[in-house]
Amino acid sequence: MLGWALTFFVLAIIAALLGFSGIAGAAAGIAQLLFVVFLVLLVVTFIVRALRGRSIT
């Protein structure tokens, strides 16, 4: 999921450089949403593993 966020971020930068502000804004919004979802899932995973007593590595 982090890979998709980075892909949309790069797409937003390229679109902004070429002057496509609408596409750049949409791609940046998608990238931001995917990054937040990734962070939430990461924190939930750490909490669940800590509660179960298993090591993270």
Side-chain angles (χ1 to χ4, degrees), residues 1 36-46:
M1 187 169 307
V36 169
V37 170
F38 167 77
L39 287 179
V40 168
L41 290 176
L42 180 70
V43 169
V44 168
T45 300
F46 284 154

Side-chain angles (χ1 to χ4, degrees), residues 15-35:
L17 289 175
L18 295 176
F20 299 110
S21 61
I23 295 173
I30 292 170
Q32 184 178 9
L33 176 69
L34 288 175
F35 185 70

